[in-house]
């Protein structure tokens, strides 16, 4: 998704902008550009990587500037469609994240008033509207322009000859990094970590005017003060640290992520306070909303919460939830979104808030939009996740769900005590999976030669099959489908055969015997079969062609070790196929469009 950056201070802006844009690359983009203000506005942009832009761009002199990485929505990736966009006079430059829904009407109107456009983008209407309303005061012009705009935006505006930036946000994130007589603006914290860890999160409808010495923020015309936060992530957290890819680094961070996330909540009473609200309101059911990998965490959450809290739980894809009627009386809602900025999830939770549903957000990003809309927020402690394919944020989400369900469990004391021991052992169990890669590597080499793969699971490991398939398809480009093992014979059996390997997740729970039967049925149809099974499972070796062994854990925690093994399987398969693992084609880290 698009990333934006702004700088105002006393240093040369261009190298800082390029460096920050480099830190935003992980969001996924197809073109990029910078604009620097001196006596005029100098712009350089193209459909190239940030590194290439830095090499070919002329050196601009100026201490205020803006930059952008674009992920095409309106118009193909090209030089003209890349940001920054300019007004007719070339003296107002704008970078924009979000979507202007009414841009076609605005564009027609502006053209009839004499403005000329060069791009196919929705964003280009913004500098033209600012030009239209500019009568000597840039902030007033921005306010007037935004009154005409319907949609979502985070914008940074630069005007030739003015040593100030005007910024605004609505439904799209924008943060301010505070330096020493300099200020940074970005869509995302990692972009500015090289320069500062002091951050302010702009709120919905905020408009700010920044100079090197400070920033004045207004909302509805009145000046407001926004709290400053200290970011605990380091630059190293957001770098590869010797690993070949961010994804591998992030997979290997998972034992620590489990410790950090559980540590943060088990030591605090914070969670109890949160859930007292749910209990006091007599909640009878739960709704968990999310997208993509976070949706798979939601599905696992359904099994955990139903088992331990004994209330009905619905896990829903946020984008679908937006299209049907809901019965929400007595329901508490949880939204899971690692970024806290996913448009589909935000739309769903805004609706929930409108109908008065109590809402808890589980997110990895402090100050994200989801956390500001929700009644309560529980933060995962995964640190910055750079790889587009989510790994450690998923495991951290599961940790919050386990802890949440265990805190309010109706299970007996003996079972809870045993679960608690199991939970505390998870970091070392995950470490065991990470240390024992040989079999996974062998299976990855084997899988890399196929174009179609099924993943099957049952019970709490059915969502793990979905997640295993999602990881494999997004980074290796192998077509993979996750299925509930019992569903395979209701249609997909037609695709089985020697060219379609099946990966079966074999858990030591009440699904075990049926899963062995399913495996026999699959083998009878000629598909190669890789089993993911617990250590000590003797029977599986005789049925499967290959077995990846994971450590023994309570069945409730089996999704954790199984998912980590499947993350490594997807990673090494993609590596074998020479894929660009951290930045898969067509994908973006944070999906801020519906
Ligand atoms: C897949 C992946 C995506 C995200 C999805 C939701 O590896 O990362 O499927 O899980 O876009 O993102 P969040 O959790 O930020 O709402």
């Amino acid at each position: 998704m698009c990333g934006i950056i702004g700088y105002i201070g006393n240093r040369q802006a261009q190298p800082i902008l390029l460096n920050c844009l480099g830190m935003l690359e992980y969001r996924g983009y197809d073109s990029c550009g910078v604009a620097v203000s001196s006596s005029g506005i100098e712009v350089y942009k193209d459909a190239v990587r940030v590194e290439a832009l830095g090499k070919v761009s002329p050196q601009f002199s100026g201490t205020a500037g803006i930059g952008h990485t674009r992920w095409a929505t309106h118009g193909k990736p090209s030089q003209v469609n890349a940001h920054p966009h300019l007004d007719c006079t070339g003296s107002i430059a704008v970078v924009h994240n979000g979507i202007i829904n009414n841009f076609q009407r605005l564009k027609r109107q502006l053209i009839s008033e004499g403005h000329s456009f060069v791009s196919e983008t929705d964003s280009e209407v913004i500098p033209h509207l600012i030009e239209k309303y500019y009568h000597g005061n840039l902030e007033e012009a921005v306010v007037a322009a935004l009154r005409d705009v319907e949609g979502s935006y985070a914008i940074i505006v630069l005007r030739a000859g003015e040593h100030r930036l005007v910024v605004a946000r609505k439904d799209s994130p924008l943060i301010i990094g505070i330096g020493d007589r300099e200020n940074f603006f970005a869509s995302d914290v990692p972009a500015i970590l090289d320069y500062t860890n002091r951050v302010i999160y702009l709120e919905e409808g905020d408009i700010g005017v920044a100079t090197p010495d400070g920033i004045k923020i207004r909302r509805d015309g009145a000046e407001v003060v926004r709290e400053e936060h200290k970011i605990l992530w380091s630059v190293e957290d957001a770098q590869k640290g010797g690993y070949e890819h961010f994804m591998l680094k992030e997979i290997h961070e998972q034992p620590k992520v489990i410790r950090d996330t559980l540590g943060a909540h088990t030591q605090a009473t914070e969670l109890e306070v949160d859930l007292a609200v749910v209990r006091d309101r007599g909640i009878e059911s739960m709704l968990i909303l999310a997208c993509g990998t976070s949706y798979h965490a939601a599905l696992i959450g359904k099994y955990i919460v139903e088992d331990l809290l004994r209330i009905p739980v619905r896990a829903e894809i946020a984008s679908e939830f937006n299209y049907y009627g809901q019965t929400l009386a007595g329901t508490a809602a949880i939204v899971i979104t690692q970024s806290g900025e996913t448009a589909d999830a935000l739309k769903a939770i805004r609706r929930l808030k409108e109908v008065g549903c109590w809402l808890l957000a589980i997110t990895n990003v402090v100050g994200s939009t989801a956390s500001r809309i929700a009644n309560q927020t529980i933060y995962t402690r995964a640190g910055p996740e750079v790889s587009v394919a989510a790994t450690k944020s998923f495991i951290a989400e599961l940790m919050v769900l386990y802890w949440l369900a265990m805190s309010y469990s109706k299970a007996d004391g003996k079972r809870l005590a045993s679960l608690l021991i199991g939970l505390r052992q998870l970091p070392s169990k995950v470490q065991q999976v990470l240390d024992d890669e040989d079999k996974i590597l062998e299976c990855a080499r084997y899988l890399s030669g196929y174009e179609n793969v099924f993943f099957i699971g049952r019970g709490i490991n059915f969502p793990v099959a979905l997640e295993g398939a999602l990881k494999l398809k997004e980074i290796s480009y192998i077509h993979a489908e996750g299925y509930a093992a019992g569903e395979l014979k209701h249609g997909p059996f037609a695709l089985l055969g020697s060219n379609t390997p099946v990966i079966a997740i074999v858990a030591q729970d009440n699904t075990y015997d049926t899963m062995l039967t399913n495996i026999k049925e699959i083998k009878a149809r000629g598909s190669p079969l890789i089993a993911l099974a617990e250590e000590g499972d003797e029977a599986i070796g005789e049925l499967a062609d290959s077995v990846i062994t994971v450590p023994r854990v309570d069945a409730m925690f089996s999704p954790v070790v199984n998912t980590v093994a499947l993350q490594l399987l997807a990673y090494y398969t993609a590596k074998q196929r020479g894929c660009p693992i951290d930045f898969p084609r067509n994908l973006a880290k944070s999906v801020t469009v519906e």
Side-chain angles (χ1 to χ4, degrees):
M1 291 282 119
C2 306
I4 60 178
I5 190 82
Y7 172 78
I8 185 142
N10 299 301
R11 296 193 259 175
Q12 286 302 316
Q14 191 179 11
I16 294 174
L17 295 171
L18 288 167
N19 185 36
C20 294
L21 286 181
M23 299 296 281
L24 283 175
E25 281 193 303
Y26 74 93
R27 294 169 67 100
Y29 71 107
D30 42 54
S31 53
C32 54
V34 291
V36 172
S37 147
S38 48
S39 50
I41 299 263
E42 315 262 25
V43 182
Y44 197 83
K45 55 184 188 172
D46 210 343
V48 293
R49 307 298 294 172
V50 173
E51 198 188 348
L53 191 86
K55 283 192 184 133
V56 293
S57 158
Q59 302 251 314
F60 301 141
S61 175
T63 52
I66 56 181
H68 193 267
T69 49
R70 175 173 186 256
W71 188 80
T73 54
H74 296 68
K76 60 186 180 302
S78 68
Q79 200 251 328
V80 278
N81 287 335
H83 297 220
H85 289 290
L86 296 171
D87 69 328
C88 293
T89 66
S91 61
I92 295 169
V94 175
V95 285
H96 166 231
N97 269 7
I99 304 265
I100 308 299
N101 297 331
N102 60 341
F103 84 98
Q104 271 164 326
R105 189 170 53 72
L106 292 172
K107 192 168 172 175
R108 271 197 304 274
Q109 173 71 27
L110 286 160
I111 289 171
S112 74
E113 290 166 6
H115 292 256
S116 52
F117 286 75
V118 292
S119 81
E120 301 157 86
T121 67
D122 53 337
S123 309
E124 199 186 355
V125 296
I126 303 173
H128 288 276
L129 284 171
I130 297 171
E131 177 190 4
K132 169 175 167 178
Y133 292 114
Y134 183 77
H135 304 295
N137 182 321
L138 187 60
E139 185 188 1
E140 279 172 14
V142 172
V143 172
L146 293 178
R147 255 186 231 124
D148 287 356
V149 161
E150 287 164 19
S152 58
Y153 52 79
I155 57 166
I156 313 179
V157 185
L158 181 68
R159 189 171 174 278
E162 291 198 28
H163 203 220
R164 70 178 67 200
L165 296 177
V166 177
V167 300
R169 72 152 285 186
K170 179 176 165 275
D171 297 342
S172 203
L174 187 57
I175 59 150
I176 307 168
I178 302 159
D180 182 15
R181 301 212 58 227
E182 57 186 357
N183 288 304
F184 304 83
F185 300 84
S187 39
D188 219 347
V189 170
I192 56 162
L193 279 180
D194 261 344
Y195 303 99
T196 182
N197 65 354
R198 294 168 56 202
V199 161
I200 288 174
Y201 296 90
L202 284 181
E203 305 254 337
E204 289 299 285
D206 282 355
I207 298 207
V209 180
T211 63
D213 298 318
I215 169 148
K216 282 207 163 50
I217 305 170
R218 278 183 236 278
R219 186 172 179 180
D220 298 328
E223 197 165 327
V224 288
V225 177
R226 299 287 175 223
E227 193 189 342
E228 185 180 315
H229 298 262
K230 192 157 181 201
I231 299 297
L232 300 174
W233 308 343
S234 64
V235 181
E236 292 69 42
D237 284 336
Q239 289 174 345
K240 278 190 214 158
Y243 286 91
E244 196 177 341
H245 295 97
F246 281 110
M247 183 177 178
L248 191 61
K249 176 192 171 227
E250 288 160 7
I251 290 173
H252 278 263
E253 282 171 350
Q254 292 178 118
K256 178 175 182 299
V257 166
I258 295 175
R259 265 186 230 106
D260 288 352
T261 302
L262 289 177
H265 298 302
T266 50
Q267 280 156 30
T269 51
E270 173 197 340
L271 201 57
E272 272 182 51
V273 177
D274 290 336
L275 287 184
V277 180
V278 180
R279 193 180 43 210
D280 296 348
R281 289 178 60 148
I283 295 302
E284 288 155 11
S285 65
M286 198 172 268
L287 167 69
I288 315 182
L289 289 166
C291 308
T293 286
S294 292
Y295 170 65
H296 299 152
L299 283 173
I300 294 170
K302 173 184 164 68
Y303 288 87
I304 302 169
V305 176
E306 287 204 342
D307 186 345
L308 294 179
L309 265 75
R310 312 270 157 76
I311 55 171
V313 180
R314 291 155 58 192
E316 306 277 356
I317 295 170
S319 56
E320 282 303 307
F321 176 76
N322 292 329
Y323 296 106
Y324 53 81
Q326 306 91 36
T327 339
L328 293 167
T331 299
I334 298 181
V335 62
I336 308 179
T337 165
Q338 76 80 20
S339 61
E341 303 296 348
T342 301
D344 292 322
L346 294 182
K347 182 166 179 180
I349 64 179
R350 285 194 176 102
R351 276 187 72 200
L352 284 171
K353 277 302 284 293
E354 271 165 32
V355 297
C357 203
W358 185 88
L359 185 76
L360 170 74
I362 299 176
T363 181
N364 195 39
V365 181
V366 175
S368 55
T369 307
S371 72
R372 283 201 298 272
I373 301 173
N375 300 85
Q376 300 274 339
T377 299
I378 300 180
Y379 290 107
T380 51
R381 308 290 162 121
E385 190 174 65
V386 175
S387 160
V388 165
T391 54
K392 60 177 181 169
S393 63
F394 172 79
I395 293 297
E397 288 163 359
L398 290 188
M399 290 309 121
V400 170
L401 290 166
Y402 283 126
W403 184 248
L404 199 62
M406 284 167 66
S407 302
Y408 285 82
S409 171
K410 293 204 171 104
D412 64 55
K414 201 163 150 228
R415 167 126 171 86
L416 264 184
S418 134
L419 284 176
L420 204 55
I421 293 169
L423 195 63
R424 295 218 163 101
Q425 286 172 344
L426 275 179
S428 63
K429 300 286 183 185
V430 167
Q431 192 60 52
Q432 239 177 292
V433 179
L434 299 174
D435 292 343
D436 193 13
E437 287 184 345
D438 292 356
K439 195 69 193 181
I440 297 177
L441 273 162
E442 184 190 310
C443 291
R445 274 194 291 273
Y446 174 77
L447 272 190
S448 64
Y450 289 89
E451 291 308 324
N452 297 290
V453 176
F454 279 107
F455 288 71
I456 56 168
R458 273 184 179 267
I460 197 168
N461 281 290
F462 159 51
V464 176
L466 298 177
E467 176 59 10
L470 179 64
K471 284 290 94 93
L472 188 71
K473 77 181 107 184
E474 68 179 324
I475 61 166
S476 76
Y477 309 150
I478 294 174
H479 169 229
E481 291 201 46
Y483 257 89
E487 276 294 293
L488 220 55
K489 58 186 170 296
H490 297 291
F493 257 35
L495 296 173
L496 294 187
S498 59
N499 286 329
T500 312
V502 177
I503 296 165
I505 304 160
V506 187
Q508 292 291 335
D509 57 14
N510 56 354
T511 66
Y512 183 77
D513 292 337
T514 334
M515 183 56 104
L516 292 197
T517 307
N518 295 147
I519 289 174
K520 285 180 199 149
E521 292 159 1
I522 292 162
K523 285 298 302 164
R525 273 131 195 111
S527 278
L529 195 127
I530 298 174
L532 190 61
E534 275 194 11
E535 59 195 359
D537 184 341
E538 304 290 338
I540 195 68
E542 285 162 27
L543 295 178
D545 297 298
S546 243
V547 181
I548 296 171
T549 306
V550 290
R552 184 169 283 266
V553 292
D554 187 289
M556 185 171 277
F557 301 129
S558 57
V560 177
V561 285
N562 287 335
T563 303
V564 174
L566 294 182
Q567 292 168 348
L568 286 172
L569 185 66
Y571 173 82
Y572 286 117
T573 307
K575 191 170 163 202
Q576 189 73 24
R577 287 165 69 99
C579 297
I581 293 178
D582 284 331
F583 308 110
R585 69 180 174 219
N586 304 335
L587 297 183
K589 183 68 189 160
S590 172
V591 185
T592 51
V593 291
E594 276 176 54

